[in-house]
Amino acid sequence: MHISPVLWQFLVKWLNASALFPREASTIAPYADALYFFLLLITVVGLTLVGILIFGFSIRYRKEKHPVAVQVEGSTLLEATWTIIPLALFLIVFVWGALLYFRIYNPPTNAMNIYVVGKQWMWKAEHAGGQHEINALHVPTGIPVQLTMISQDVFHSFSIPDFRVKREVIPGRYSTVWFQATTPGTYHIFCTQYCGTNHSAMIGEVTVLTPDDYAKWTQESTSGMSLAQNGERLFASMGCNACHSGSAAARGPNLAGVYGSKLQLTNGSQVLVNDAYLRDAILNPSQHITAGYAPIMPTYQGQISEDGLIDLVEYIKAMQTNYRVQQTLTTSTSNQAAPTTPGVVKP
């Protein structure tokens, strides 16, 4: 279906100016709107056609003109027409909607990843560089952005109407959605799933910046440590490096370069190591035992916060060698073995 660009811009600008329709501020928005207007068009045409037929038949076959009912024989051509045309329209909408769905929920491989944690009643965004935001999200224009989201309590739903994106945020499981912002400005964030007493207050703002302004914002807003660096400290403090050192005698599998690979489990199955797998393997290790290793890893369920899990996942994703793991392990062992002189505080 082709719509004149001039007519399309007039329609969109009129709807925006009249506050009847959100702005188009992402690359996916025009495609979502085209499907919406197509549905609106066939609905109006169908409603008009049915209304005209009802009105016409009520006049033509009224009691005064036909006091005695007359049997009207069916028409195969007519029945085929009113069956085939609606079926064709439904199939067009189905295929169109399916293509749009897969386009929205399959992010590009080069998308910038931002974690979003939902909880009653706030949104927390965590950038890879260590920037943290509450009920706010800063993104650049012209760059695909993937949101990896999870809830700490109940079901939520993350929605940015101006970007035409909406995704359920579920406890205990990552969900993703992506967008590419096109116009600098400020846009609303809503929770569109009822989540308790202050559901209506679970709102926020997306601030879209030019790439240069976004780079400036990241430099000014950093906490000093990236998510991966926080994950490295947590990895060492919890003793994970004792088993996952990467050495031949290690009791746990080598994690360097494991992200994105296929892993063989003891039950014979293969799994893709992604964010969801890493998170679940930390919390439920007995369900993800790597082939060749004993099931000795304890569960960390209830011991690590959702923020800590994100840090660990980012650290493992970034881990390409075991040099830093073995270095921290050696340092930890040396500190434990060093003798302490009475009256002297060990540095």
Side-chain angles (χ1 to χ4, degrees):
M1 180 179 178
H2 179 72
I3 301 177
S4 166
V6 176
L7 178 61
W8 178 263
Q9 289 299 320
F10 170 78
L11 179 62
V12 169
K13 288 182 179 180
W14 177 77
L15 288 170
N16 290 340
S18 59
L20 294 176
F21 212 67
R23 293 170 289 176
E24 290 183 343
S26 73
T27 54
I28 201 67
Y31 297 97
D33 290 350
L35 176 58
Y36 175 80
F37 286 128
F38 179 74
L39 287 170
L40 191 62
L41 175 64
I42 62 176
T43 301
V44 171
V45 170
L47 178 64
T48 303
L49 179 61
V50 171
I52 291 174
L53 290 174
I54 291 175
F55 181 77
F57 289 154
S58 64
I59 298 298
R60 181 173 181 179
Y61 298 104
R62 66 188 185 275
K63 184 178 180 179
E64 292 81 2
K65 190 172 183 179
H66 292 275
V68 179
V70 178
Q71 180 65 33
V72 179
E73 296 295 329
S75 169
T76 303
L77 177 61
L78 180 61
E79 292 179 4
T81 300
W82 73 40
T83 301
I84 293 174
I85 292 179
L87 177 63
L89 290 173
F90 291 151
L91 289 176
I92 290 172
V93 172
F94 172 77
V95 173
W96 193 346
L99 293 174
L100 185 60
Y101 175 87
F102 288 118
R103 183 169 187 168
I104 292 174
Y105 292 111
N106 287 297
T109 54
N110 64 335
M112 179 178 69
N113 189 47
I114 300 175
Y115 290 94
V116 175
V117 179
K119 59 181 295 186
Q120 294 174 317
W121 288 272
M122 57 174 278
W123 299 107
K124 182 176 182 180
E126 302 188 19
H127 300 250
Q131 298 81 11
H132 299 273
E133 304 183 77
I134 301 296
N135 293 331
L137 179 63
H138 286 73
V139 297
T141 58
I143 298 175
V145 177
Q146 173 182 311
L147 302 181
T148 301
M149 303 178 290
I150 196 166
S151 170
Q152 284 190 197
D153 38 48
V154 299
F155 278 72
H156 300 283
S157 187
F158 187 89
S159 173
I160 309 175
D162 294 306
F163 294 172
R164 309 299 190 270
V165 296
K166 174 183 177 296
R167 188 65 161 168
E168 285 64 38
V169 182
I170 305 169
R173 193 177 76 185
Y174 287 134
S175 58
T176 61
V177 72
W178 78 279
F179 57 82
Q180 182 172 321
T182 57
T183 309
T186 303
Y187 306 94
H188 293 294
I189 299 173
F190 295 102
C191 176
T192 53
Q193 174 82 33
Y194 181 71
C195 56
T197 308
N198 292 331
H199 160 69
S200 61
M202 195 169 176
I203 57 177
E205 288 186 341
V206 180
T207 302
V208 179
L209 305 170
T210 64
D212 291 340
D213 288 340
Y214 179 76
K216 182 179 179 181
W217 175 83
T218 56
Q219 293 173 358
E220 295 175 348
S221 306
T222 182
S223 62
M225 296 186 68
S226 66
L227 298 183
Q229 289 172 324
N230 288 330
E232 182 181 28
R233 295 179 62 181
L234 187 58
F235 191 85
S237 66
M238 300 193 71
C240 305
N241 52 4
C243 292
H244 299 283
S245 62
S247 65
R251 292 176 293 175
N254 183 7
L255 299 180
V258 72
Y259 185 79
S261 66
K262 290 286 186 69
L263 200 62
Q264 185 80 26
L265 302 183
T266 53
N267 59 10
S269 64
Q270 277 194 336
V271 293
L272 174 66
V273 180
N274 54 18
D275 298 51
Y277 173 81
L278 291 175
R279 180 186 182 279
D280 200 42
I282 295 169
L283 298 178
N284 304 292
S286 61
Q287 299 178 14
H288 307 280
I289 304 171
T290 305
Y293 292 91
I296 60 173
M297 180 174 169
T299 178
Y300 289 93
Q301 190 84 42
Q303 301 181 46
I304 308 178
S305 67
E306 205 59 61
D307 294 340
L309 287 168
I310 289 173
D311 293 340
L312 283 174
V313 168
E314 279 296 297
Y315 172 58
I316 297 172
K317 286 168 63 175
M319 188 190 301
Q320 297 301 318
T321 69
N322 289 297
Y323 173 74
R324 292 279 299 172
V325 176
Q326 294 171 354
Q327 189 179 42
T328 55
L329 181 62
T330 302
T331 303
S332 175
T333 304
S334 300
N335 288 340
Q336 292 176 4
T340 303
T341 303
V344 177
V345 179
K346 186 173 63 177

